[in-house]
Amino acid sequence: MIAAGTVVSGRTLALSILIGSCALLVLGVHPVLLGALVQEGRLADAQVGNLVTIEMLAIVPGSLAGIALLRRASARVVAIAAGLAMAAINILLLGQSGMSILSIARAFAGFSEGVLVAIALVAISRVMRVERASAIFLAVQTLMQAVVAAALPAIAIAGSRVDAALIALAIAGVIAAAAALALPAALRPTEPDGERGALTPASLTALTCAGLFLGAIVSVWGYFGLWLIHYGYPPTFEGTAVSLCLVAQVVGALAAARFGESLPNRRTIVSCAMTAAALVGAFYLARGNAAAIIIVSIAFGFVWLFTLPFFAGWLIEIDPGRRAVLYLTAFQLGGAALLPSIAGMAVGAYSINAALAFAGCAFLLLATAASLSNKVKFAS
């Protein structure tokens, strides 16, 4: 249990959530940025997936480095440096093209974003109601992504939508750095326990399940547009489905914040994973009915963000010292980067529906692993 004296203030939590949300703004900007890069001839369409994977994977070591830095340095200094680095990298990319420069720059940007995410993770781990704080973090970052992603397609700077997206990300870095000025310097992760590490068989099981969940989600969502095109739906329909899904995500996160403490973490995850698997099947069954696809999209978005905060709660049940929860984003983004790549292989070998089948299997594997995890918990 966290000691009362180490709980961060509401102000520190709010600043940290803002900083982390600025760092993860790129997840909402990616579709606009990458599509514009291809349209403006600055990147080949076959390289889009690789660029996404590079940045998402770079966030993982960035978040781990951020946690390590926060043990030794002022949180204010760490966050200001990472925010300004994020802004500078995006400004330096203005007018640039080609996979070599873009991949190197997005890797450095991802690392900086990961350091900023660590600020939010550490602050969330230091509050009494971690599930609620995690849900609020998800809701805030999703709202920011939705607003910016909706505005960017209509904005161009010197005729370039790419540069408009890069400037939006640079501004987010500056906002994060400015918010860091008000952070307490002594924001620290929980000290390691010399007798028992954070990564035990039980916590690794929970973290792997978290990676499976988000990886399966992104495996569906990453191919959703292509799947709709395959079945003859126009781009305007995709926009409607995605917008409603984003709204449902925010509602799901807020529902988890309001009701999450009254639900058992592990069993809720198992139930939601099985529901997600059923929804994947429902997408396929609804492929010929636009209204049904919209309904399934809304349900899918709700389950997506409703479920994620329960992984934090599950990790704290396993490790009350709140060290394992600091690795949650690293495992989730690792899964979100790797599983869609595997799904892509299945799509290439079979058809676009293979992405749905792959995601459904991942959800069922997660549900099975979480159901059996009690044995792992007691064994560790």
Side-chain angles (χ1 to χ4, degrees):
M1 183 67 67
I2 187 169
T6 65
V7 176
V8 299
S9 67
R11 178 172 173 270
T12 298
L13 178 63
L15 288 168
S16 300
I17 284 176
L18 174 61
I19 290 168
S21 297
C22 286
L24 294 177
L25 182 66
V26 68
L27 302 182
V29 171
H30 259 157
V32 178
L33 173 63
L34 297 169
L37 280 167
V38 173
Q39 289 177 344
E40 294 177 20
R42 293 161 71 166
L43 186 71
D45 53 3
Q47 297 171 322
V48 166
N50 293 333
L51 198 62
V52 173
T53 300
I54 286 168
E55 184 157 6
M56 292 185 71
L57 286 179
I59 294 174
V60 174
S63 68
L64 299 179
I67 292 166
L69 284 169
L70 289 172
R71 295 192 190 281
R72 298 171 176 81
S74 160
R76 196 178 301 142
V77 171
V78 169
I80 291 172
L84 293 179
M86 174 183 162
I89 292 164
N90 284 289
I91 292 297
L92 289 172
L93 274 178
L94 294 176
Q96 299 294 323
S97 62
M99 185 61 180
S100 297
I101 184 66
L102 289 172
S103 59
I104 293 170
R106 293 325 303 170
F108 279 105
F111 189 89
S112 300
E113 290 154 3
V115 173
L116 292 173
V117 168
I119 300 288
L121 290 174
V122 169
I124 289 170
S125 74
R126 289 290 194 174
V127 300
M128 299 301 294
R129 301 171 67 185
V130 169
E131 299 94 326
R132 182 173 182 270
S134 296
I136 292 170
F137 181 35
L138 288 166
V140 170
Q141 65 181 257
T142 304
L143 275 172
M144 286 178 59
Q145 291 167 18
V147 170
V148 175
L152 277 178
I155 300 172
I157 294 178
S160 172
R161 289 173 53 233
V162 171
D163 290 349
L166 291 171
I167 287 177
L169 292 173
I171 291 171
V174 172
I175 292 172
L181 292 170
L183 276 179
L187 181 62
R188 296 276 188 272
T190 305
E191 287 301 319
D193 186 338
E195 297 180 1
R196 183 173 181 269
L199 299 180
T200 64
S203 62
L204 279 171
T205 299
L207 288 165
T208 301
C209 285
L212 277 172
F213 183 81
L214 196 57
I217 288 285
V218 177
S219 294
V220 174
W221 215 236
Y223 286 96
F224 186 63
L226 294 175
W227 184 81
L228 289 175
I229 291 170
H230 177 77
Y231 285 105
Y233 291 95
T236 52
F237 178 78
E238 179 189 355
T240 300
V242 169
S243 298
L244 291 173
C245 179
L246 284 168
V247 172
Q249 287 177 44
V250 175
V251 174
L254 294 176
R258 175 65 179 84
F259 303 108
E261 288 189 332
S262 62
L263 297 172
N265 292 301
R266 185 177 57 85
R267 281 183 288 180
T268 300
I269 289 168
V270 171
S271 298
C272 288
M274 294 178 69
T275 301
L279 288 171
V280 167
F283 268 124
Y284 181 74
L285 294 175
R287 62 193 183 279
N289 187 313
I293 290 175
I294 292 293
I295 292 170
V296 177
S297 299
I298 292 170
F300 191 75
F302 181 90
V303 170
W304 180 344
L305 255 64
F306 178 79
T307 309
L308 287 177
F310 290 96
F311 287 103
W314 185 16
L315 283 165
I316 288 171
E317 287 179 4
I318 295 168
D319 175 26
R322 302 182 178 220
R323 296 150 301 176
V325 74
L326 296 174
Y327 298 95
L328 182 56
T329 294
F331 275 78
Q332 286 177 333
L333 291 180
L338 295 175
L339 265 67
S341 298
I342 301 173
M345 296 178 191
V347 169
Y350 300 99
S351 73
I352 194 69
N353 289 314
L356 298 181
F358 175 80
C361 290
F363 285 129
L364 293 175
L365 176 62
L366 185 171
T368 302
S371 297
L372 298 175
S373 66
N374 260 358
K375 297 178 182 179
V376 177
K377 180 178 179 180
F378 292 123
S380 64

